[in-house]
Amino acid sequence: MQLTLEFGGGLELLCDSVKSHNINVDPQDGEKQLTMKNLLSWVRTNVIKERPEMFMKGDSVRPGVLVLVNDTDWELSGQLETVLEEKDNVVFISTLHGG
Amino acid sequence: MDFNGVEATRIRQEIDHLKSKKRNIEQQISALEAQLNQLEVNSSTVCPQPLSNGDLSNSNGLSPDMIYRYSRHLLLPSFGVQGQANLLKSSVLVIGAGGLGSPALLYLAACGVGRMGIVDHDVVELNNLQRQIIHTEAYIGKSKVESAAATCRSINSSTQIVEHREAFRTSNALEIVSKYDVVVDATDNAPSRYMINDCCVVLGKPLVSGAALGLEGQLTVYNYNGGPCYRCLFPTPPPTNACQRCADSGVLGVVPGVIGCLQALEAIKVASLVGEPLSGRMLLLDALSGRFRNVKLRGRSLQCEACGDDAVLTRQTFSEFDYEKFTQTPLSTVPLKLNFLSADDRISTKEYNEKVRKGDAHILVDVRPSHHYKIVSLPNSMNIPLSTLEGRLPEISAALEKEVNKENGSNTSLFVICRRGNDSQVAVELLHKLGFTSAKDIIGGLESWTHNVDPKFPTY
Ligand SMILES: [Zn+2]
């Protein structure tokens, strides 16, 4: 399954300062669907290069990170249970405080 | 959620909707009353009024001066006289007169908001002027509020400007915010953002929130018309080391400029009751790629600790809440000063200077990121950024060896420096662990060098 991942608000620093990633990831053995929970652990292993604790806490993202699936807050699509589809766009963005 | 819960939500939304309508009607009534008053004043005057009188009211409540000043607004069919009249009756509080607040204040002053409050406790500094465009060189060292207010008054003397030259704290927040219709959060730190949000929830004020860092910006409107508040989105504060500051990470001046302008736009929409404020949505700016992204956010959270159904937030609990403790971040922007090495492992910049003058054999490692090193550095220092230190130990060994040979085996010291003396301590601790037991930290870093040794050495 092809997905586009984007990192912003400083999270890109955890993956070699690359903001946009075109990835190919498939559901794990025995599973029909790819959920955000699956994707997060895949991202942690395959995309995040340093300080994974700045990206995740437990099996979700750390506080202060907004997750958007196709430009919509993942709270509205089921958070970790959100089922991903071909060509979906997933954005991880850290909330900014500067001004 | 059971049926009662759903029903309660529906009723609450209906109440919010009616409240907003009520506010609209009340504003229309006061506009009409002002019109009526003016008509009565005019008709009771014996002498005929000269046509050029600036106070002479037109049938729509706007004086000739106002009609001329705001004509481009009045000509907008979707804004028009009603939008302008609403704006003139409204009041907006801008918290923070920095990178976001500067452009927001300029546009809010120009557009004809009736009353504007400015909160800030800082003074203008030279390194603010790259982005805080409301301030000028003449105000360096003076209060930001004084400076911003002077600029706003020079743009529009008919807008009432209220100066709050104080830090925004739980002790004064309720009193200040209660005097305004709309709040603009133009601050630069996490505890302030939670504090301002909670204060707006307690007092029922819409909050126009903007943030910018580096080349990115974010904008949304909280606590408006049944939409989510800041805590609905971010119930738990982020870890301290995830909160970058402009003073450390940098910011391209125009980025907060863009976001600040958009904050003025949203404040104007809320205050004039025109358009669709950015509630339940967020605008994300990626300046580097020239992209705006408009995303849909969750609605108000029923579990929210500030605005949820079981929230216990009141004036009392708000004024007793410790926002610095909650976010593990100080409200003031004073940079962090770590101090965890023992005195034996540190020397002052003055002592280091003595050693240099005496020609003592040593190696100086500067652990700042390379783009910092390019700004300014001490002569004969070698740049090994902290993040790469472990992998580049052979370079340090080689440099030490070279220096030892040169000096015929005398003791060669290893000193570590950074910008403010925090990272250098982390580096020294790491070097000790990795076998470089003689490594010493230069206390206070390059900032201390400027203050205590060479005032001409640039700071940034
Ligand atoms: Zn809330």
Side-chain angles (χ1 to χ4, degrees), chain B residues 52-242:
Chain B
S52 61
N53 189 327
D55 293 330
L56 179 68
S57 263
N58 200 287
S59 62
N60 53 33
L62 300 175
S63 70
D65 275 353
M66 283 174 171
I67 289 176
Y68 192 52
R69 181 188 281 265
Y70 304 119
S71 61
R72 299 305 185 266
H73 285 171
L74 307 181
L75 287 166
L76 279 171
S78 55
F79 194 83
V81 169
Q82 192 56 59
Q84 190 64 47
N86 291 343
L87 207 52
L88 286 163
K89 290 189 176 307
S90 72
S91 53
V92 178
L93 178 69
V94 178
I95 308 175
L100 297 166
S102 287
L105 284 161
L106 291 173
Y107 272 107
L108 289 169
C111 77
V113 165
R115 183 161 48 86
M116 240 167 61
I118 315 170
V119 190
D120 207 310
H121 70 288
D122 264 347
V123 295
V124 180
E125 292 179 61
L126 179 63
N127 66 2
N128 296 153
L129 301 186
Q130 148 267 15
R131 64 193 182 285
Q132 304 183 12
I133 56 170
I134 203 166
H135 310 299
T136 56
E137 289 179 4
Y139 278 90
I140 289 173
K142 291 187 183 157
S143 143
K144 282 190 183 176
V145 168
E146 181 191 352
S147 163
T151 308
C152 289
R153 289 188 185 111
S154 69
I155 291 171
N156 191 344
S157 58
S158 65
T159 291
Q160 192 194 336
I161 312 286
V162 185
E163 300 182 30
H164 302 278
R165 295 187 204 182
E166 53 197 315
F168 194 76
R169 294 283 190 265
T170 49
S171 51
N172 57 8
L174 291 165
E175 203 205 326
I176 295 176
V177 170
S178 62
K179 293 177 188 141
Y180 298 87
D181 302 325
V182 185
V183 177
V184 174
D185 182 348
T187 62
D188 62 0
N189 61 78
S192 293
R193 292 186 180 275
Y194 279 99
M195 178 166 53
I196 292 166
N197 176 72
D198 291 358
C199 185
C200 287
V201 170
V202 169
L203 298 173
K205 308 285 183 183
L207 170 60
V208 180
S209 179
L213 188 85
L215 290 143
E216 288 182 69
Q218 300 172 352
L219 171 81
T220 187
V221 177
Y222 291 119
N223 198 38
Y224 178 78
N225 231 349
C229 82
Y230 187 62
R231 275 196 203 247
C232 292
L233 255 68
F234 304 109
T236 313
T240 321
N241 45 2

Side-chain angles (χ1 to χ4, degrees), chain A residues 87-99:
Chain A
K87 302 266 195 262
D88 272 354
N89 173 277
V90 183
V91 175
F92 301 100
I93 196 146
S94 176
T95 172
L96 302 178
H97 302 100

